[in-house]
Amino acid sequence: MFGMVRPCSHRLGESLRNQWMAHLCGLCLALRGDHGQFARVATNYDGLLISVLTEAQSERVGAAGAWRRQAGPCPLRGMRGASVAQGEGARLAAAVSLVLASAKVRDHVDDRDGLFARRPVAAAARKVAAGWTRAGARTGSDVGFDTAVLVDAVERQAGVEALAGPGTSVLAVTEPTGTATAAAFAHTATLAGRPANAEPLAEVGRLFGRLAHLLDAVEDRDADAASGAWNPLTATGTSLAEARRLADDALHGIRLALRDVDFVDGRLAHLLLAHELGRSVDRAFGTGACATAHAHSGAASTPQQGDGSAPRAPDGPGGSGPYGSRHPYGGGDPYGGGDPYGGGGPGGPGGPGGPGGLGGDPFGKSPKPGKRGLLAGCAVAVGLCCTCKVCCAEEYEGAWSRKKREGCCRNCDGPDCCDCCDCCSCCDCGV
């Protein structure tokens, strides 16, 4: 699972949390239903926004049965059934997720990252990516969306990056991402039968794509510098302070554009795009955290924008953020480090994937000392998700890195522990 909009369940509340999970599971099952089990690795938090936006604009009268279906038990839900989203919104989200995931895979192959440096793995990955692109196009066509705009944006990205240099606006580098996201967001208005919403939603999508690309660059800045990989901020000479200014401008623009969208029930869409997106910006620049977490840890407050100090790089586990590659919608292996399902569990010493255990690279390469292999890490991640340790544990080991981490909600005592506004008018978006 990857993406930058990752809300804390305590901030959502029971009703919106159930809606959010319905869209997440609906996206996952739409990928499985149309493209097979393996396609589910393309599930991502940002892709479900398309399903959320489609439903938020749809009329409620007589349509409740068409939005949801009952799904069977799933390991990622602790073997519980659930009501999940279905329909054109979920299928559009699946199509977009597949095309973007295929782009991410090709990006890793081109950069020869990790296992992708091996020719047999790279050849297989290219074949999978090509299949996902074709599959996304088929599903997109079924719901009236031409994924060619996404493919064109991916193909143009390499050329844009090749031309970028010192003095080039970083916004020129983020333009293809914004164009692709704008098209996907705008099409939700068509699916919902509200063509007047297409223009403001296109603006929301354009700014969302820009913001995703910027935050990805911020998260990867130090790692790219260490490895010599291309980074838009470094290549264009854009400072972190300027990147933060552009990110804040994009966030403000999204909130303004949301005012012009005619929602039937926009509570979840508003919370994710107007509020959780702001927390993603703070998280990427290392300027925001749960107030209760600070109270428990006694940590000093982080310098905020405008206090004369430059924003610092994110200090998450391993220095990685919620999406760890150059591509704006992904981070390394979709179930890799930095993933919300990362954790410890059965991969300890002597266990699967631990020292002396059964883990290891399925492609024949031994994992680095102290780390788990790909398959063992996946098994551990599933186990931690099923037991809710990722959310509530005081401390757990990363599924792949084995680094110590804290449960994301371990200091939350209830829905008011974090600075949420429950979609009220306390922000400048006026909703």
Side-chain angles (χ1 to χ4, degrees):
M1 215 75 68
F2 52 96
M4 64 177 179
V5 183
R6 301 175 297 157
C8 170
S9 61
H10 290 91
R11 288 196 296 264
L12 289 175
E14 183 177 1
S15 176
L16 294 183
R17 180 174 65 248
N18 290 339
Q19 289 186 41
W20 186 80
M21 285 300 301
H23 288 288
L24 182 62
C25 294
L27 169 57
C28 181
L29 293 176
L31 286 165
R32 185 198 67 178
D34 287 345
H35 311 292
Q37 288 283 0
F38 185 67
R40 299 171 81 174
V41 301
T43 305
N44 67 92
Y45 294 127
D46 296 341
L48 71 85
L49 287 171
I50 293 173
S51 180
V52 170
L53 286 171
T54 302
E55 186 174 292
Q57 301 171 75
S58 301
E59 291 292 344
R60 269 42 180 172
V61 179
W67 304 337
R68 298 282 189 270
R69 71 175 180 87
Q70 194 65 26
C74 174
L76 297 181
R77 292 193 298 267
M79 297 308 295
R80 294 188 298 269
S83 176
V84 303
Q86 65 172 350
E88 293 184 329
R91 298 192 70 200
L92 175 61
V96 172
S97 296
L98 271 181
V99 174
L100 294 178
S102 71
K104 180 169 66 70
V105 170
R106 287 196 297 269
D107 188 47
H108 285 307
V109 172
D110 292 341
D111 291 344
R112 300 176 62 83
D113 293 334
L115 291 174
F116 295 99
R118 299 184 178 188
R119 289 186 179 179
V121 177
R126 287 188 185 278
K127 185 175 181 180
V128 169
W132 280 354
T133 299
R134 293 191 298 269
R138 289 195 302 270
T139 300
S141 177
D142 290 344
V143 295
F145 180 67
D146 186 359
T147 59
V149 65
L150 307 182
V151 176
D152 175 69
V154 171
E155 293 176 347
R156 285 194 298 114
Q157 188 68 49
V160 170
E161 292 179 357
L163 295 174
T168 303
S169 171
V170 73
L171 297 185
V173 180
T174 65
E175 179 274 324
T177 306
T179 299
T181 314
F185 276 34
H187 194 67
T188 65
T190 301
L191 295 182
R194 293 181 178 272
N197 285 343
E199 185 174 347
L201 284 175
E203 179 68 3
V204 171
R206 183 180 67 82
L207 294 173
F208 182 89
R210 173 191 297 179
L211 189 55
H213 206 146
L214 280 173
L215 297 190
D216 182 63
V218 171
E219 295 281 1
D220 287 351
R221 185 169 176 265
D222 291 341
D224 288 345
S227 64
W230 193 91
N231 183 282
L233 299 182
T234 304
T236 60
T238 303
S239 66
L240 282 177
E242 175 65 8
R244 179 62 194 249
R245 184 189 68 81
L246 293 173
D248 287 340
D249 284 348
L251 181 61
H252 182 63
I254 288 172
R255 290 171 171 173
L256 291 177
L258 285 173
R259 293 181 179 181
D260 298 326
V261 181
D262 182 18
F263 287 122
V264 175
D265 182 358
R267 291 177 300 158
L268 181 58
H270 173 76
L271 185 143
L272 296 176
L273 289 167
H275 298 285
E276 291 302 330
L277 195 52
R279 293 185 176 93
S280 298
V281 173
D282 288 337
R283 183 167 59 242
F285 286 93
T287 58
C290 177
T292 306
H294 279 291
H296 279 264
S297 64
S301 60
T302 305
Q304 300 293 323
Q305 184 183 20
D307 65 356
S309 60
R312 59 182 175 86
D315 55 0
S320 65
Y323 34 88
S325 76
R326 278 168 37 205
H327 192 277
Y329 280 88
D333 184 355
Y335 289 89
D339 179 77
Y341 293 114
L358 302 176
D361 195 319
F363 299 100
K365 181 178 179 181
S366 298
K368 295 181 180 179
K371 293 188 176 183
R372 295 187 179 93
L374 176 62
L375 295 182
C378 288
V380 172
V382 171
L384 286 170
C385 179
C386 293
T387 57
C388 298
K389 287 187 178 180
V390 173
C391 179
C392 304
E394 288 289 324
E395 190 177 76
Y396 63 91
E397 282 188 350
W400 289 267
S401 67
R402 301 180 65 90
K403 293 182 178 180
K404 296 296 183 182
R405 299 179 180 175
E406 296 179 348
C408 60
C409 297
R410 72 182 190 92
N411 289 319
C412 290
D413 299 320
D416 299 324
C417 70
C418 299
D419 56 334
C420 58
C421 69
D422 196 23
C423 289
C424 64
S425 59
C426 66
C427 70
D428 59 357
C429 48
V431 179

